[in-house]
Amino acid sequence: MTSAPLAEAAAGTSPEPAHERVHRALRRRILHGELAPGQPVTLRGLAAALGVSMTPAREAVRRLTAERALETTPTGRVLAPVKSAEALAELLAARALLEPELAARAAARADAALVARLRSHDDAVEAALAAGDAATYVRANTAFHATLYAAARAPALMALVESVWLQLNPSMRILNGRAGTAGLADHHEQAMAACARRDGTAAAAAVLADIRQAEALIAGGG
Amino acid sequence: MTSAPLAEAAAGTSPEPAHERVHRALRRRILHGELAPGQPVTLRGLAAALGVSMTPAREAVRRLTAERALETTPTGRVLAPVKSAEALAELLAARALLEPELAARAAARADAALVARLRSHDDAVEAALAAGDAATYVRANTAFHATLYAAARAPALMALVESVWLQLNPSMRILNGRAGTAGLADHHEQAMAACARRDGTAAAAAVLADIRQAEALIAGGG
DNA sequence: TCCGGCGTTTTGTGATCACAAATCCATGTG
DNA sequence: CACATGGATTTGTGATCACAAAACGCCGGA
């Protein structure tokens, strides 16, 4: 197997370790909500799927479990965690504490290019919402927030928020699947307007409202 | 050569994996500030120090790097991260966002036993401060906060805060080494009083003041 | 005294293997 | 028809190995 060491060796510029590639691939799947809660992740299966041996697969899984994106049972089995309603509420509380700060910092550094990228992601959000495509919605919504916060240039805070998303997104997919109502993008609009004005306070308020809306959705959906 | 599989096998109740033991041991060292920033951590060295092979050592290191407690250079070397002043400020900002919430939740659930445990840890803090023992101070101070927040029963928030501590503590040791001033425990006193009264707001305020003091310390120390 | 080059040693990486435990599934029994 | 029980299979774990690259130290020259 893995008879082909991949053509990227020809590029020469990026001798990326295999375990990092596995980590990013699995992380992306989780962040996009493609991994259902409770779904097991086997080392051999993951390794075979990406054409590597068990060792880098194990390293990638360990990293994700450290980020709480995966869960290890007492017997060593690894699976996407099933979050209780209380756990989801706690994660949303964490978002409510962290993300407004990130939004405020981002808005203070915003420029036209950022607003344009945000607009592009928000269009995708609304399109997915209209089409009832839950998976695409989660991906686009995450991309919107990630793009906004990246402008804050606060890597440590960003890492904390991403850890929360990794825990939240698998469950969000199911949640949004049954709550495909409209009008969810209003706060995105406010956030973009705040960025255009470099208004950090308004951006923080918009993001907080966005999160509060998600909280209400969970509380309502039970 | 790990000739002795440890007597814990006799207990029978906990067949704990080796990689978890390595992870906890290394994590404890980092949390206690025993690992100086920039100090390298070699896989073989770590494995030999704990009597295991490279594989579990590698897994433990991966977990810690995922928690941002360790850093990987482009060449694969692993070392305790050297934080810039901006990075430290960002981490303290994260503490200021998260810990007051945890303190408020903890105070609402506080009982006499908790206050007693906090008192015990705070005594150790003041003793270490008086003795100028930086390492013990970091350990006792962390134990005080950890004990308080554990009462909040918010595991996800707690995990985020612990990740911040892991990044902060190695640098804190150096910082406190040169700033051994007195009167630092006042906010701990206020926090314990707030817990005794079940006053969440006051507990949050006390913790926030504690963190602001640390921020001022860093800003002053430059 | 400082600096560049070269060989040795150290180090991370990924694959493979043996082993024990857990899981799964089918079968038989009440 | 529900449920326990048996064995076959899957799975995580930890050790070991070969390999390439990086780090280190030494030495000679300017």
Side-chain angles (χ1 to χ4, degrees):
Chain A
M1 326 335 169
T2 163
S3 55
L6 286 188
E8 64 179 319
T13 56
S14 62
E16 187 193 38
H19 66 84
E20 201 151 345
R21 187 165 56 92
V22 176
H23 173 256
R24 198 176 43 231
L26 187 51
R27 179 190 175 97
R28 210 180 64 96
R29 285 192 55 193
I30 296 171
L31 209 52
H32 289 3
E34 297 169 14
L35 206 60
Q39 183 172 340
V41 176
T42 69
L43 262 29
R44 285 175 177 84
L46 181 63
L50 280 87
V52 297
S53 88
M54 288 180 57
T55 309
R58 223 192 306 190
E59 297 179 56
V61 164
R62 292 282 177 254
R63 284 175 65 175
L64 268 330
T65 56
E67 302 180 74
R68 297 185 137 239
L70 293 174
E71 202 176 67
T72 306
T73 73
T75 68
R77 296 290 289 273
V78 174
L79 39 81
V82 184
K83 298 291 183 183
S84 67
E86 294 81 23
L88 293 180
E90 193 185 333
L91 290 169
L92 282 170
R95 287 193 59 190
L97 292 172
L98 295 172
E99 294 189 30
E101 172 74 14
L102 242 5
R105 296 189 185 197
R109 296 165 162 269
D111 57 13
L114 173 65
V115 176
R117 268 176 295 157
L118 290 175
R119 168 68 58 194
S120 165
H121 287 305
D122 188 53
D123 288 347
V125 169
E126 294 202 37
L129 219 44
D133 185 345
T136 302
Y137 167 76
V138 170
R139 181 167 57 231
N141 187 60
T142 301
F144 178 89
H145 285 265
T147 301
L148 173 57
Y149 306 151
R153 310 256 176 194
L157 285 170
M158 186 71 183
L160 292 175
V161 169
E162 284 189 348
S163 172
V164 175
W165 288 347
L166 283 169
Q167 299 175 62
L168 215 35
N169 277 11
S171 299
M172 287 298 287
R173 178 184 180 178
I174 300 177
L175 206 65
N176 281 285
R178 60 175 151 165
T181 58
L184 289 175
D186 295 343
H187 303 122
H188 286 197
E189 207 67 51
Q190 296 170 14
M192 287 185 287
C195 282
R197 300 196 311 272
R198 302 264 177 92
D199 186 342
T201 305
V207 164
L208 183 59
D210 196 46
I211 297 170
R212 294 286 181 232
Q213 191 174 55
E215 284 180 340
L217 228 160
I218 282 189
Chain B
M1 311 254 290
T2 167
S3 55
L6 286 187
E8 65 180 321
T13 55
S14 61
E16 186 194 36
H19 66 85
E20 201 151 346
R21 185 166 57 90
V22 176
H23 172 256
R24 197 175 43 231
L26 187 51
R27 179 189 175 97
R28 210 181 65 95
R29 285 191 55 194
I30 297 171
L31 208 53
H32 289 3
E34 297 170 13
L35 206 59
Q39 182 170 341
V41 176
T42 70
L43 261 31
R44 285 174 177 86
L46 181 63
L50 279 87
V52 297
S53 88
M54 286 182 57
T55 309
R58 223 190 310 188
E59 298 178 56
V61 164
R62 292 282 177 253
R63 285 174 64 175
L64 267 331
T65 55
E67 302 180 74
R68 297 185 136 238
L70 292 175
E71 201 176 67
T72 306
T73 72
T75 68
R77 297 289 291 273
V78 175
L79 38 82
V82 183
K83 298 292 183 183
S84 67
E86 294 81 24
L88 292 180
E90 193 186 334
L91 289 169
L92 281 171
R95 286 192 61 189
L97 291 171
L98 295 172
E99 294 190 31
E101 172 75 14
L102 242 7
R105 295 190 186 198
R109 295 165 163 269
D111 57 13
L114 173 66
V115 177
R117 266 176 297 155
L118 290 176
R119 169 67 58 195
S120 164
H121 287 305
D122 189 53
D123 288 347
V125 169
E126 294 203 37
L129 219 44
D133 185 344
T136 302
Y137 167 76
V138 170
R139 181 167 57 231
N141 187 60
T142 301
F144 178 88
H145 286 264
T147 301
L148 173 57
Y149 305 150
R153 311 253 177 198
L157 285 169
M158 186 72 185
L160 292 175
V161 169
E162 284 190 348
S163 172
V164 176
W165 289 347
L166 282 169
Q167 299 174 62
L168 214 36
N169 276 12
S171 299
M172 286 300 286
R173 178 184 180 179
I174 300 178
L175 206 66
N176 279 285
R178 61 172 151 166
T181 59
L184 290 175
D186 295 343
H187 303 122
H188 286 196
E189 208 68 50
Q190 296 169 14
M192 287 186 285
C195 283
R197 300 196 312 272
R198 302 265 176 91
D199 186 342
T201 304
V207 164
L208 183 59
D210 196 47
I211 298 169
R212 293 288 181 231
Q213 190 175 56
E215 284 180 339
L217 229 160
I218 282 190

